[in-house]
Amino acid sequence: MLSAMASGDPPGGGRVSIGDVARLAGVSPITVSRVANSSDAVRPATRDKVLAAMNKLGYAPNSAARALRSGSFHEIGVVVHRLDRTGESRTVEGVVNAARAEGYTISLVDVRSPTSAEVTAAAQRLRHQAIDGLIIVRAEAATAATLALPAGLPVVVSDSRLIGRHPAVSSDQAGGIRDAVEHLLALGHRTVHHAAGPTDSTPAMVREEVWRRLLTDAGRPVPEVMRGDWTLRSGYELGLRVDPAATAVLCANDEMAAGMIRALHERGRRVPDDVSVVGFDDIAVAEYLWPPLTTIRQDFSRIGAELVRMLLDQVRGQGEPVERQRLVPTELVVRASTASPR
Amino acid sequence: MLSAMASGDPPGGGRVSIGDVARLAGVSPITVSRVANSSDAVRPATRDKVLAAMNKLGYAPNSAARALRSGSFHEIGVVVHRLDRTGESRTVEGVVNAARAEGYTISLVDVRSPTSAEVTAAAQRLRHQAIDGLIIVRAEAATAATLALPAGLPVVVSDSRLIGRHPAVSSDQAGGIRDAVEHLLALGHRTVHHAAGPTDSTPAMVREEVWRRLLTDAGRPVPEVMRGDWTLRSGYELGLRVDPAATAVLCANDEMAAGMIRALHERGRRVPDDVSVVGFDDIAVAEYLWPPLTTIRQDFSRIGAELVRMLLDQVRGQGEPVERQRLVPTELVVRASTASPR
DNA sequence: CTGAAAGCGCTTACAG
DNA sequence: CTGAAAGCGCTTACAG
């Protein structure tokens, strides 16, 4: 428990400063600073006196002063779009936890749309606030040409068009799609239809290109791609008009897969007896959809941790060359929404 | 676009300070400060000179110095548990957006478990960091007796046992449960079973108590409560052994309702023909479950906004009495998972 | 409308 | 092992 109130008479409206502690302990402020920073150049008896005074007064170092002196806030800025989506919130959670382990806190900004203008404004707001580096989680629609980040600010990005321009962390999209397509072809499907994500999203485009290339390489017909926007609703609408001859559909994410399955139900098509469906992400409900969804799991907390690691490499290594891109493996999780065609 | 690099020769390894701008513009640092803070006591011509110099050098005020001087970081600490859950992430999103509108950023800490010890540690870590106030989003297992928050730090809490001790914002749980129970009774169900949340959660207990009281007041039999833990899995497991005579089940949240529906399917019980199911929250998939879920919608972004408003009332009004509790209305959303019993 | 002086709370060399 | 001095970058009265 903290003591309720300082018993001395600290100036400045109640906030206890290093000088107050020094006075009570009968030492200089420098010694208090040493104790606060766990320097070992303090005699144990002195240390104890100071610690007792700190406790008595409820002293907490003023981090504004500390940051001003040291030049670092020990804070990382995070720009995120749509925090209510599984991938985004789990990635941010991973970032928060990894940052904490390194002694950093997170300053979070949510942009309304993932465009260059919004992200630029968010980055400047954060810069204004004072951060040591910036993590951009999926600025899908931002491009390197139009994004104007403060000069000299270390940056790491997650999946986006900014890869190449800035160090980046991504799921192994290609590997995931390959696993899914091979799984479906191995089950005996002649080809695989694709309910893709929006064209302004890098992960969506990567998934689509890999799907197309795999079918081509395997000598299978490539059905016309169906275009969605990540939402359940878009998956549902695509499901209402999916080719009646389709026996397997690979969806760009789990939400679209859930909408697809619901539409197929309404059309009287059984999953997986008539149509196999595969998602991407492995969100919490995937296992409890009816039927339980076969999907490609992304390791979001690992992505968050790698984002922090690569950012702090830059922050600490100032000037050193930095790893440009790190791929985090995906995993195919086979459940009951896929089966051999009848 | 920012200019790539300062063309002057600013000291301190590249960071541009107010003095550099003053020198280039041929004015004093005070004048630069006035321009940076949009004071109107600056001649337009002077202002333009200063703004030009700022742009040329890529000046951004050092917020550590600013905070040290003014005593405020314009930052709000947010303690959250399980950011990957809908309620939590949407509430945080609401907090972030409302805070931004007020010129505040968010420093986010994620606790592994919602206990007093974890929340206390998180609050102290944030205090250390420097925040103007603290928002605790659902510290479900923390109690006022054991939570030790830094003295003098303004605090607002969301649903939790801390209500009463600290100003709080909550959904109108009672109103939501009333709407749901009345909806089911009006459909002709004799009584309503309840798949409740964990006993250490205040919202779960409130929902359970209101459910019990409503049935008692209506003279209906009160079935033994079923105990879950918010997860899909727990709802599924309760669904496997729900009373075969039950015709209506009110679940503590949508995830549990999704698990409940899946278990009922597996047991060959049709929803809503044999059993009506109601959830709580209105998460994104609720509409796309099969059947689409009747549920009680919570307005999380409004909750987030109210949390910020009540916190800043404290921060700004120092000493003034503050509103103790604010209820945010819920809304019953009727879909296809409820019907009259056969 | 503009500026010289002081100070916010802390830490970093430097000296003893 | 301990302390006196200087300064991080900014803003707040105060004076002109």
Side-chain angles (χ1 to χ4, degrees):
Chain A
M1 287 291 255
L2 296 177
S3 50
M5 218 23 213
S7 38
D9 201 1
R15 195 67 204 275
V16 181
S17 83
I18 204 171
D20 302 317
V21 176
R23 213 165 301 123
L24 181 60
V27 298
S28 77
I30 303 176
T31 301
V32 177
S33 171
R34 289 201 180 100
V35 173
N37 291 288
S38 312
S39 157
D40 46 356
V42 179
R43 203 154 41 117
T46 312
R47 172 190 310 282
D48 291 345
K49 261 194 315 193
V50 172
L51 287 174
M54 284 179 170
N55 268 326
K56 178 125 185 263
L57 298 177
Y59 170 74
N62 178 316
S63 47
R66 225 172 215 188
L68 176 57
R69 202 65 190 70
S70 68
S72 161
F73 268 82
H74 285 267
E75 184 152 69
I76 295 172
V78 175
V79 176
V80 67
H81 170 57
R82 298 285 312 274
L83 190 60
D84 62 329
R85 295 196 293 196
T86 296
E88 278 71 0
S89 64
R90 302 242 305 258
T91 301
V92 170
E93 208 171 22
V95 166
V96 168
N97 290 330
R100 169 169 56 184
E102 298 283 345
Y104 281 74
T105 55
I106 290 305
S107 186
L108 186 69
V109 171
D110 179 282
V111 295
R112 279 173 223 282
S113 66
T115 58
S116 286
E118 288 259 0
V119 173
T120 296
Q124 276 162 8
R125 206 156 42 231
L126 279 170
R127 178 54 157 186
H128 203 82
Q129 189 63 27
I131 51 175
D132 297 336
L134 184 66
I135 292 175
I136 301 176
V137 179
R138 289 233 204 170
E140 297 182 317
T143 61
T146 54
L147 187 67
L149 296 177
L153 182 66
V155 174
V156 174
V157 302
S158 180
D159 293 312
S160 80
R161 298 191 205 171
L162 304 172
I163 294 176
R165 174 74 170 260
H166 299 286
V169 179
S170 343
S171 271
D172 180 9
Q173 315 279 354
I177 293 294
R178 187 187 336 106
D179 289 346
V181 169
E182 287 177 355
H183 166 65
L184 290 166
L185 296 184
L187 283 171
H189 294 275
R190 184 164 154 266
T191 189
V192 175
H193 289 245
H194 184 38
T199 54
D200 63 5
S201 159
T202 301
M205 294 315 284
V206 170
R207 291 170 199 181
E208 181 179 334
E209 281 161 25
V210 173
W211 159 79
R212 192 184 312 277
R213 182 168 53 70
L214 287 167
L215 289 182
T216 307
D217 289 356
R220 306 303 175 96
V222 180
E224 190 175 352
V225 72
M226 299 176 275
R227 183 70 52 201
D229 65 1
W230 298 130
T231 63
L232 261 156
R233 172 162 298 283
S234 74
Y236 175 77
E237 281 161 6
L238 295 177
L240 290 180
R241 47 176 216 268
V242 67
D243 183 351
T247 65
V249 181
L250 171 60
C251 297
N253 71 355
D254 287 349
E255 280 84 352
M256 287 177 63
M260 172 71 57
I261 289 175
R262 156 121 186 243
L264 291 170
H265 278 165
E266 290 188 4
R267 288 173 63 187
R269 310 215 63 202
R270 284 170 306 165
V271 179
D273 308 56
D274 299 322
V275 185
S276 287
V277 175
V278 176
F280 205 112
D281 285 349
D282 196 25
I283 62 177
V285 292
E287 187 180 353
Y288 291 86
L289 290 175
W290 189 255
L293 185 67
T294 293
T295 188
I296 299 144
R297 177 179 296 161
Q298 297 201 65
D299 188 347
F300 293 111
S301 74
R302 169 106 179 268
I303 291 174
E306 294 288 350
L307 285 165
V308 170
R309 194 183 57 72
M310 285 178 71
L311 185 69
L312 293 185
D313 278 358
Q314 285 182 71
V315 169
R316 291 165 179 159
Q318 297 297 2
E320 307 254 323
V322 179
E323 189 180 2
R324 297 306 296 176
Q325 181 164 11
R326 170 156 223 100
L327 284 187
V328 173
T330 57
E331 178 191 0
L332 178 70
V333 180
V334 178
R335 298 203 181 94
S337 67
T338 49
S340 295
R342 293 189 308 166
Chain B
M1 288 289 256
L2 295 177
S3 51
M5 216 29 210
S7 39
D9 201 3
R15 196 65 204 276
V16 181
S17 83
I18 204 170
D20 302 318
V21 176
R23 213 165 302 123
L24 180 61
V27 298
S28 76
I30 303 175
T31 300
V32 177
S33 170
R34 288 202 180 98
V35 172
N37 292 288
S38 313
S39 158
D40 45 355
V42 179
R43 202 154 41 117
T46 312
R47 172 190 311 281
D48 291 345
K49 261 194 315 191
V50 172
L51 287 174
M54 284 180 171
N55 267 327
K56 178 126 185 263
L57 298 178
Y59 170 74
N62 178 318
S63 48
R66 224 172 216 188
L68 176 57
R69 202 64 189 71
S70 68
S72 161
F73 268 81
H74 285 266
E75 184 152 69
I76 295 172
V78 175
V79 176
V80 67
H81 170 56
R82 297 286 310 278
L83 190 60
D84 62 328
R85 295 196 292 197
T86 296
E88 278 71 1
S89 63
R90 302 242 304 259
T91 302
V92 169
E93 208 170 22
V95 166
V96 168
N97 290 330
R100 168 170 56 186
E102 298 284 345
Y104 281 73
T105 54
I106 290 305
S107 186
L108 186 68
V109 171
D110 179 282
V111 295
R112 278 172 224 282
S113 65
T115 59
S116 286
E118 288 260 1
V119 174
T120 297
Q124 276 162 8
R125 205 156 43 232
L126 280 169
R127 177 54 155 186
H128 204 82
Q129 189 63 29
I131 52 174
D132 297 336
L134 184 65
I135 292 175
I136 301 176
V137 178
R138 289 233 205 173
E140 298 181 318
T143 61
T146 55
L147 187 68
L149 296 176
L153 182 66
V155 174
V156 175
V157 302
S158 179
D159 292 313
S160 80
R161 299 191 204 170
L162 303 172
I163 294 175
R165 172 75 170 258
H166 299 287
V169 179
S170 344
S171 271
D172 181 9
Q173 315 279 353
I177 294 294
R178 188 189 333 107
D179 290 346
V181 169
E182 286 177 356
H183 166 66
L184 290 167
L185 295 183
L187 284 171
H189 295 275
R190 185 164 152 267
T191 189
V192 176
H193 290 245
H194 183 39
T199 53
D200 62 6
S201 159
T202 301
M205 294 314 284
V206 169
R207 291 170 199 181
E208 180 180 334
E209 281 160 25
V210 172
W211 158 79
R212 193 185 311 277
R213 182 168 53 69
L214 287 167
L215 289 182
T216 306
D217 289 356
R220 306 302 174 99
V222 180
E224 191 175 352
V225 73
M226 299 176 277
R227 181 72 52 202
D229 65 1
W230 298 131
T231 64
L232 262 156
R233 173 163 297 282
S234 75
Y236 175 76
E237 281 160 6
L238 294 178
L240 291 181
R241 48 175 216 268
V242 67
D243 183 351
T247 64
V249 181
L250 171 61
C251 297
N253 72 354
D254 287 350
E255 280 85 351
M256 288 177 63
M260 172 71 57
I261 289 175
R262 156 120 187 245
L264 291 170
H265 278 164
E266 290 189 4
R267 289 173 64 187
R269 311 215 64 202
R270 285 170 304 167
V271 178
D273 307 55
D274 299 323
V275 185
S276 287
V277 175
V278 177
F280 206 111
D281 285 349
D282 197 26
I283 62 178
V285 292
E287 188 180 352
Y288 290 87
L289 290 175
W290 188 255
L293 185 67
T294 294
T295 189
I296 299 143
R297 176 180 296 162
Q298 297 199 65
D299 188 347
F300 294 111
S301 74
R302 169 105 180 269
I303 290 175
E306 294 288 350
L307 285 165
V308 170
R309 194 183 57 71
M310 285 178 71
L311 185 69
L312 293 185
D313 278 357
Q314 285 182 70
V315 170
R316 290 165 179 160
Q318 296 297 4
E320 307 255 323
V322 179
E323 188 179 5
R324 296 306 296 175
Q325 180 165 10
R326 170 156 223 100
L327 284 186
V328 173
T330 58
E331 178 192 359
L332 178 69
V333 180
V334 178
R335 299 202 181 95
S337 67
T338 48
S340 294
R342 293 189 308 167

